[in-house]
Amino acid sequence: MIEFDPHYRVRPRALFLLEPRANGTWARQRLTSYVQELAITSLIKPHALRDCYGPFPFGARSREGAVDPSKAPNINGAADCARNWVSVVSEIVGRTDIEGLTLLPFADFVRSGGGAHLHARRMWCRRCLQEDIARGQLPYERLLWSLRQVVVCPLHGDLLDCICPHCGRSQTNELARDCLPGHCGFCQHFLGDERTYDVVESESVATEYQLWVARDFGNLLDMNSDQIEGASHENVRLMMRLAIAKACRGRPQVFSENLRFGCETVKNWVGGWRRVSLTVISSLSWIYGVPMRAWLLGEVDAWNRCCVRELPLDIHRDSDFRTRSYWCDWGAVGARILARLESDQPPRGVTDAARMENMTAETFKKRLPDVYLRVRDAAAERRKASSAINRSKLRERIRVCIEQLTQEGQPPTRTRVATRLGRGLFPKGERIYWEEIQRFNG
């Protein structure tokens, strides 16, 4: 067989072609959104790309080692799941920069392969998606929105959404269902629209701490490859020693109290026996006003403009709460929670009640089991009552749509009713629709 010189060989062509959005910047696209857009622009369905190309650890039930779609957020992390996806996607698109769409560049600073740093649900900023459409592009979802600590858009200052403005449902990520980028996987509507009248709008406003964290993580993702290579745990330990010397008067105990960790844990960090995660570095960034990238790169000049601030009350540490539990008046804590339960604004659930007292839901369940059960059951009853009210409203709207379509001379099919409602019928509305159709025809 004739063998050609390597100089004259033609490299194999990639199966697909798509350039990642804003790669290398704070607004970089995340890998799940990139795979979804890759499928749409290639005129195939996302599940076909997901299941048929490469050893994806997701989706194909017949393939050994397949993972449930609810675990898909880890694809944007820094564990083996993300590495497998990056390897396969890099091969089919012929690119070497796909790793930047995940947390793999920061793998040394994330815990549990990044799973502890990622939202379990799909998050987005409505105004960012609207701006993508205004520029004549397909909307895409940012890697920054996947980070659990980020709940605010650093550009617009709006709280991130996790519920579809049309059908009111949330989902794990883009690849769980076939849909266009920036659209709901259930009702297929645009996620950047304003919320409909039957979805309650949140009145909460982003706090200064939330804005700081969002912009701090944005600056972290804005680091180039040379800066990421220069980041090290040795730099973090150096910055910790400077924090103790300059901001804590040389007392490690003050440093641990500001961070709400035990002195032994801080000793292990400074001594290099334990690694510091991005979550801890983010807290240190807020407390002393020194950005996270300065901690990772060892920028000692940042301490010339440092400050000392307290963490919000809802940022707590289990170890710190256990050390204080021996003197905590648990009877008074239970009485306060029960008083709130009987008030006009009861806690939404056990997690909300625990946050009101600056503790975790696990500590709440362990220390006050009876109060925990009462709060849980009361929240379940309120959700049940609210569900019944929403169900009756949906039934009335479906009945009106059927009557309007009949008066217009059109058959009231489920597709026409769903279009008239502006939302999907599945799963609750499907049953109501058939009940109303039988009653209407009867």
Side-chain angles (χ1 to χ4, degrees), residues 162-175:
C162 63
I163 298 177
C164 175
H166 295 276
C167 65
R169 302 184 68 179
S170 60
Q171 51 198 297
T172 52
N173 81 340
E174 306 92 310
L175 298 181

Side-chain angles (χ1 to χ4, degrees), residues 98-129:
I98 301 300
E99 183 180 279
L101 307 183
T102 66
L103 292 181
L104 285 173
F106 305 94
D108 290 340
F109 299 93
V110 298
R111 295 184 293 111
S112 304
H117 298 276
L118 298 174
H119 283 294
R121 294 292 177 183
R122 189 178 176 188
M123 309 287 288
W124 63 88
C125 171
R126 265 184 282 171
R127 294 173 65 181
C128 287
L129 296 178

Side-chain angles (χ1 to χ4, degrees), residues 43-254:
L43 303 181
I44 61 176
K45 293 187 176 180
H47 80 269
L49 179 64
R50 182 188 70 196
D51 296 341
C52 300
Y53 289 92
F56 287 87
F58 167 87
R61 298 182 179 179
S62 60
R63 187 178 295 125
E64 295 183 1
V67 180
D68 184 72
S70 62
K71 307 299 182 183
N74 292 330
I75 296 171
N76 302 314
D80 292 338
C81 180
R83 291 189 181 92
N84 293 338
W85 274 74
V86 168
S87 175
V88 173
V89 175
S90 299
E91 181 179 355
I92 64 177
V93 298
R95 301 186 65 91
T96 59
D97 55 354
I98 301 300
E99 183 180 279
L101 307 183
T102 66
L103 292 181
L104 285 173
F106 305 94
D108 290 340
F109 299 93
V110 298
R111 295 184 293 111
S112 304
H117 298 276
L118 298 174
H119 283 294
R121 294 292 177 183
R122 189 178 176 188
M123 309 287 288
W124 63 88
C125 171
R126 265 184 282 171
R127 294 173 65 181
C128 287
L129 296 178
Q130 291 171 1
E131 291 177 357
D132 293 340
I133 295 293
R135 287 192 290 265
Q137 303 174 348
L138 274 176
Y140 75 96
E141 301 183 29
R142 283 70 167 165
L143 176 62
L144 185 65
W145 300 343
S146 300
L147 298 176
R148 186 184 296 272
Q149 289 85 2
V150 177
V151 296
V152 176
C153 175
L155 183 61
H156 303 106
D158 298 336
L159 291 173
L160 298 182
D161 290 307
C162 63
I163 298 177
C164 175
H166 295 276
C167 65
R169 302 184 68 179
S170 60
Q171 51 198 297
T172 52
N173 81 340
E174 306 92 310
L175 298 181
R177 288 175 173 268
D178 291 338
C179 62
L180 288 172
H183 290 68
C184 178
F186 293 98
C187 65
Q188 308 296 325
H189 282 86
F190 181 49
L191 296 176
D193 292 336
E194 297 297 329
R195 295 196 175 193
T196 55
Y197 66 90
D198 56 340
V199 180
V200 179
E201 182 76 39
S202 175
E203 298 180 357
S204 55
V205 181
T207 62
E208 183 182 356
Y209 170 77
Q210 292 171 341
L211 284 171
W212 172 276
V213 171
R215 290 166 181 168
D216 206 18
F217 272 100
N219 291 331
L220 186 69
L221 294 180
D222 205 30
M223 294 170 58
N224 55 42
S225 58
D226 294 336
Q227 292 175 328
I228 294 176
E229 291 179 0
S232 66
H233 287 277
E234 182 61 36
N235 293 335
V236 177
R237 289 193 288 270
L238 171 63
M239 297 293 282
M240 280 189 170
R241 288 191 289 267
L242 290 175
I244 295 173
K246 294 190 174 184
C248 303
R249 304 183 300 277
R251 298 176 60 188
Q253 182 179 359
V254 176

Side-chain angles (χ1 to χ4, degrees), residues 14-20 34 37-38 41-42 92-95:
L15 296 176
F16 301 93
L17 178 63
L18 180 66
E19 183 176 354
Y34 176 76
E37 184 178 358
L38 181 65
T41 54
S42 303
I92 64 177
V93 298
R95 301 186 65 91

Side-chain angles (χ1 to χ4, degrees), residues 26 111 202 206 210-211 223 264 276 311 328 341 367 389:
W26 71 270
R111 295 184 293 111
S202 175
Q210 292 171 341
L211 284 171
M223 294 170 58
E264 193 66 25
V276 187
L311 284 172
C328 182
L341 189 62
R367 295 289 178 177
I389 295 174

